[in-house]
Amino acid sequence: MTGEGVESDEKGRLRAALLARRRAIPEGLRAGQSARIAAGLRLLEAYRLARRIMCYAAVRGEVETAGPVAECLRRGALVALPRFDAAAGRIEARWVRDPGLDLAPGAFGIPEPRADRCPPADTETIDLFLVPGVGFAPRGNRLGWGRGLYDALLAGAAPRAVKIGLAYEAQVVRLVPAGRRDVAVDLLVTEDRTIDCARIRRIVDGGTRAQPVSR
Protein backbone atom coordinates (compact mmCIF):
# COMPACT_ATOMS: atom_id res chain seq x y z
CA MET A 1 0.00 0.00 0.00
CA THR A 2 1.36 3.45 -0.89
CA GLY A 3 1.86 6.33 1.49
CA GLU A 4 -1.08 8.10 -0.13
CA GLY A 5 -3.26 5.06 0.55
CA VAL A 6 -2.26 4.96 4.20
CA GLU A 7 -3.03 8.66 4.49
CA SER A 8 -6.41 8.19 2.82
CA ASP A 9 -7.30 5.38 5.21
CA GLU A 10 -6.29 7.50 8.17
CA LYS A 11 -8.31 10.44 6.91
CA GLY A 12 -11.29 8.19 6.27
CA ARG A 13 -11.32 6.88 9.82
CA LEU A 14 -10.91 10.36 11.26
CA ARG A 15 -13.67 11.72 9.01
CA ALA A 16 -16.11 9.03 10.16
CA ALA A 17 -15.32 9.70 13.82
CA LEU A 18 -15.68 13.47 13.49
CA LEU A 19 -18.92 13.25 11.53
CA ALA A 20 -20.31 11.03 14.29
CA ARG A 21 -19.25 13.63 16.86
CA ARG A 22 -20.98 16.41 14.94
CA ARG A 23 -24.18 14.40 14.51
CA ALA A 24 -24.20 13.75 18.25
CA ILE A 25 -24.46 17.48 19.06
CA PRO A 26 -28.16 18.24 19.77
CA GLU A 27 -29.70 20.62 17.25
CA GLY A 28 -30.51 23.24 19.85
CA LEU A 29 -26.96 23.17 21.20
CA ARG A 30 -25.54 23.47 17.68
CA ALA A 31 -27.63 26.60 17.11
CA GLY A 32 -26.27 28.19 20.28
CA GLN A 33 -22.71 27.24 19.39
CA SER A 34 -23.13 28.66 15.89
CA ALA A 35 -24.29 31.95 17.42
CA ARG A 36 -21.19 32.06 19.63
CA ILE A 37 -18.98 31.34 16.63
CA ALA A 38 -20.63 34.23 14.75
CA ALA A 39 -19.96 36.46 17.76
CA GLY A 40 -16.31 35.41 17.69
CA LEU A 41 -16.11 36.28 14.00
CA ARG A 42 -17.31 39.82 14.72
CA LEU A 43 -14.31 40.35 16.99
CA LEU A 44 -11.90 39.77 14.10
CA GLU A 45 -10.71 42.79 12.15
CA ALA A 46 -10.22 40.63 9.06
CA TYR A 47 -13.94 39.86 9.10
CA ARG A 48 -15.13 43.37 9.92
CA LEU A 49 -13.04 45.05 7.23
CA ALA A 50 -13.41 42.50 4.42
CA ARG A 51 -15.20 43.85 1.36
CA ARG A 52 -15.26 40.67 -0.72
CA ILE A 53 -16.12 37.53 1.22
CA MET A 54 -16.64 33.92 0.29
CA CYS A 55 -18.81 31.88 2.62
CA TYR A 56 -20.74 28.60 2.35
CA ALA A 57 -24.30 27.39 2.80
CA ALA A 58 -24.38 25.15 5.87
CA VAL A 59 -25.70 21.59 5.55
CA ARG A 60 -25.69 18.42 7.65
CA GLY A 61 -25.00 20.13 10.96
CA GLU A 62 -22.20 22.44 9.80
CA VAL A 63 -21.69 25.74 11.60
CA GLU A 64 -24.54 27.98 10.45
CA THR A 65 -23.61 30.89 8.21
CA ALA A 66 -26.96 32.50 7.35
CA GLY A 67 -26.37 35.18 10.00
CA PRO A 68 -22.86 36.18 8.88
CA VAL A 69 -23.93 36.16 5.21
CA ALA A 70 -26.88 38.48 5.93
CA GLU A 71 -24.71 40.69 8.13
CA CYS A 72 -22.03 41.08 5.45
CA LEU A 73 -24.62 41.88 2.78
CA ARG A 74 -26.23 44.50 5.04
CA ARG A 75 -22.93 46.31 5.51
CA GLY A 76 -22.39 46.43 1.77
CA ALA A 77 -19.81 43.70 1.35
CA LEU A 78 -19.87 41.48 -1.72
CA VAL A 79 -20.58 37.85 -0.77
CA ALA A 80 -19.83 34.78 -2.85
CA LEU A 81 -20.95 31.20 -2.27
CA PRO A 82 -19.64 28.01 -3.89
CA ARG A 83 -21.27 26.35 -6.87
CA PHE A 84 -20.19 22.98 -8.25
CA ASP A 85 -19.37 23.09 -11.95
CA ALA A 86 -20.04 19.49 -12.98
CA ALA A 87 -18.59 19.93 -16.47
CA ALA A 88 -15.28 21.20 -15.10
CA GLY A 89 -15.35 19.01 -11.99
CA ARG A 90 -14.57 21.94 -9.69
CA ILE A 91 -16.12 24.45 -7.31
CA GLU A 92 -16.54 28.00 -8.56
CA ALA A 93 -17.40 31.15 -6.62
CA ARG A 94 -20.49 33.18 -7.54
CA TRP A 95 -21.76 36.45 -6.10
CA VAL A 96 -25.11 36.40 -4.33
CA ARG A 97 -27.30 39.38 -3.38
CA ASP A 98 -30.39 37.71 -1.91
CA PRO A 99 -29.83 34.15 -0.61
CA GLY A 100 -33.59 33.59 -0.48
CA LEU A 101 -33.87 34.11 -4.23
CA ASP A 102 -30.38 33.32 -5.46
CA LEU A 103 -29.90 29.81 -4.04
CA ALA A 104 -31.32 26.51 -5.27
CA PRO A 105 -30.57 22.85 -4.41
CA GLY A 106 -27.42 21.77 -6.23
CA ALA A 107 -24.76 19.11 -6.21
CA PHE A 108 -24.44 16.90 -3.13
CA GLY A 109 -27.71 18.35 -1.74
CA ILE A 110 -26.09 21.72 -0.98
CA PRO A 111 -27.87 25.03 -1.73
CA GLU A 112 -25.92 26.75 -4.51
CA PRO A 113 -26.02 30.09 -6.35
CA ARG A 114 -28.23 29.94 -9.43
CA ALA A 115 -26.16 30.41 -12.58
CA ASP A 116 -28.89 32.57 -14.16
CA ARG A 117 -28.89 35.04 -11.27
CA CYS A 118 -25.39 34.98 -9.79
CA PRO A 119 -22.34 36.15 -11.76
CA PRO A 120 -18.98 34.40 -11.37
CA ALA A 121 -16.55 35.79 -8.81
CA ASP A 122 -12.81 35.92 -9.41
CA THR A 123 -11.32 33.96 -6.50
CA GLU A 124 -8.18 36.09 -6.56
CA THR A 125 -10.20 39.22 -5.70
CA ILE A 126 -11.72 37.77 -2.50
CA ASP A 127 -10.40 39.20 0.79
CA LEU A 128 -11.78 36.62 3.19
CA PHE A 129 -12.83 32.98 2.99
CA LEU A 130 -15.09 31.45 5.65
CA VAL A 131 -14.28 27.77 5.33
CA PRO A 132 -16.30 24.70 6.34
CA GLY A 133 -14.75 21.41 7.33
CA VAL A 134 -15.35 18.04 8.92
CA GLY A 135 -12.39 18.63 11.24
CA PHE A 136 -9.51 20.98 11.93
CA ALA A 137 -6.20 20.92 13.80
CA PRO A 138 -4.81 23.94 15.69
CA ARG A 139 -2.09 24.47 13.07
CA GLY A 140 -4.85 24.93 10.48
CA ASN A 141 -4.90 21.60 8.69
CA ARG A 142 -8.42 20.92 7.48
CA LEU A 143 -10.29 17.67 6.88
CA GLY A 144 -12.98 17.92 4.22
CA TRP A 145 -15.11 15.35 2.42
CA GLY A 146 -12.17 13.82 0.59
CA ARG A 147 -12.90 15.16 -2.90
CA GLY A 148 -10.32 17.95 -2.77
CA LEU A 149 -12.76 20.45 -4.30
CA TYR A 150 -12.51 23.09 -1.60
CA ASP A 151 -8.73 22.81 -1.42
CA ALA A 152 -8.54 23.44 -5.16
CA LEU A 153 -10.70 26.53 -4.73
CA LEU A 154 -8.61 27.87 -1.85
CA ALA A 155 -5.41 27.25 -3.80
CA GLY A 156 -6.56 29.98 -6.19
CA ALA A 157 -6.87 32.59 -3.44
CA ALA A 158 -4.61 35.63 -3.41
CA PRO A 159 -1.72 35.44 -0.90
CA ARG A 160 -3.22 38.36 1.06
CA ALA A 161 -6.60 36.62 1.50
CA VAL A 162 -7.45 35.42 5.00
CA LYS A 163 -8.89 31.92 5.39
CA ILE A 164 -10.99 31.35 8.52
CA GLY A 165 -12.24 27.90 9.45
CA LEU A 166 -15.56 27.66 11.31
CA ALA A 167 -16.01 24.63 13.55
CA TYR A 168 -17.51 23.39 16.76
CA GLU A 169 -14.99 22.60 19.47
CA ALA A 170 -15.91 18.91 19.04
CA GLN A 171 -14.43 19.07 15.53
CA VAL A 172 -10.98 20.21 16.67
CA VAL A 173 -8.37 17.46 17.01
CA ARG A 174 -4.66 17.55 17.73
CA LEU A 175 -3.59 16.39 14.27
CA VAL A 176 -5.17 16.22 10.82
CA PRO A 177 -3.12 14.42 8.14
CA ALA A 178 -2.14 16.85 5.40
CA GLY A 179 -1.54 15.97 1.76
CA ARG A 180 0.40 17.96 -0.82
CA ARG A 181 -2.71 19.71 -2.16
CA ASP A 182 -4.36 20.44 1.19
CA VAL A 183 -4.72 24.14 2.04
CA ALA A 184 -4.55 25.20 5.70
CA VAL A 185 -6.64 27.96 7.24
CA ASP A 186 -5.12 31.02 8.91
CA LEU A 187 -7.58 31.26 11.80
CA LEU A 188 -10.05 28.85 13.38
CA VAL A 189 -13.12 30.07 15.25
CA THR A 190 -15.05 27.75 17.56
CA GLU A 191 -17.69 28.48 20.18
CA ASP A 192 -14.96 28.63 22.85
CA ARG A 193 -11.92 30.25 21.24
CA THR A 194 -10.19 31.70 18.23
CA ILE A 195 -6.98 29.94 17.24
CA ASP A 196 -4.29 31.79 15.28
CA CYS A 197 -3.28 28.85 13.12
CA ALA A 198 -0.88 30.80 10.93
CA ARG A 199 1.03 31.95 14.01
CA ILE A 200 1.20 28.42 15.35
CA ARG A 201 2.61 27.19 12.03
CA ARG A 202 5.25 29.91 12.01
CA ILE A 203 6.36 29.17 15.55
CA VAL A 204 6.21 25.37 15.38
CA ASP A 205 7.93 25.23 12.01
CA GLY A 206 10.62 27.43 13.51
CA GLY A 207 11.20 24.88 16.25
CA THR A 208 9.37 26.56 19.14
CA ARG A 209 6.24 25.23 20.79
CA ALA A 210 3.12 27.40 20.59
CA GLN A 211 -0.26 27.45 22.26
CA PRO A 212 -3.61 28.28 20.59
CA VAL A 213 -4.63 31.90 20.98
CA SER A 214 -8.01 32.11 22.73
CA ARG A 215 -10.34 35.04 22.83
Side-chain angles (χ1 to χ4, degrees):
M1 183 178 292
T2 67
E4 289 293 327
V6 171
E7 180 176 283
S8 296
D9 290 345
E10 185 178 357
K11 282 187 174 182
R13 289 191 294 270
L14 181 59
R15 183 177 295 108
L18 290 175
L19 286 172
R21 279 192 200 178
R22 194 168 73 187
R23 286 193 298 269
I25 303 173
E27 184 175 351
L29 181 57
R30 280 203 308 266
Q33 291 175 339
S34 287
R36 288 166 63 183
I37 291 167
L41 263 181
R42 295 187 197 103
L43 298 177
L44 299 176
E45 185 177 78
Y47 172 77
R48 296 196 307 270
L49 298 182
R51 304 304 301 166
R52 293 171 178 254
I53 299 161
M54 181 157 187
C55 196
Y56 64 91
V59 293
R60 305 182 190 99
E62 291 175 334
V63 174
E64 281 295 334
T65 57
V69 166
E71 184 175 78
C72 291
L73 289 170
R74 281 197 302 270
R75 65 177 167 86
L78 297 176
V79 178
L81 292 178
R83 183 176 187 275
F84 181 62
D85 182 342
R90 65 180 179 87
I91 288 177
E92 61 180 4
R94 286 188 174 254
W95 300 118
V96 299
R97 290 170 295 181
D98 183 340
L101 297 175
D102 292 346
L103 302 185
F108 316 117
I110 300 171
E112 296 183 345
R114 291 172 48 183
D116 61 331
R117 290 183 56 90
C118 305
D122 183 351
T123 308
E124 291 187 352
T125 69
I126 294 173
D127 306 316
L128 177 71
F129 291 80
L130 300 180
V131 184
V134 174
F136 292 90
R139 65 177 288 129
N141 293 350
R142 169 185 167 275
L143 182 68
W145 287 93
R147 303 182 185 99
L149 297 174
Y150 230 94
D151 290 304
L153 175 79
L154 294 174
R160 61 174 172 74
V162 178
K163 297 175 284 293
I164 302 179
L166 304 182
Y168 308 113
E169 194 66 32
Q171 295 176 265
V172 181
V173 294
R174 189 173 65 88
L175 293 172
V176 168
R180 292 188 302 273
R181 296 183 177 85
D182 293 342
V183 178
V185 297
D186 302 305
L187 296 163
L188 178 61
V189 181
T190 77
E191 70 272 20
D192 292 337
R193 54 183 171 160
T194 294
I195 304 174
D196 190 337
C197 305
R199 178 175 179 270
I200 290 174
R201 288 196 298 276
R202 288 194 301 269
I203 295 175
V204 172
D205 292 346
T208 305
R209 297 186 66 185
Q211 297 297 322
V213 177
S214 300
R215 62 175 185 268

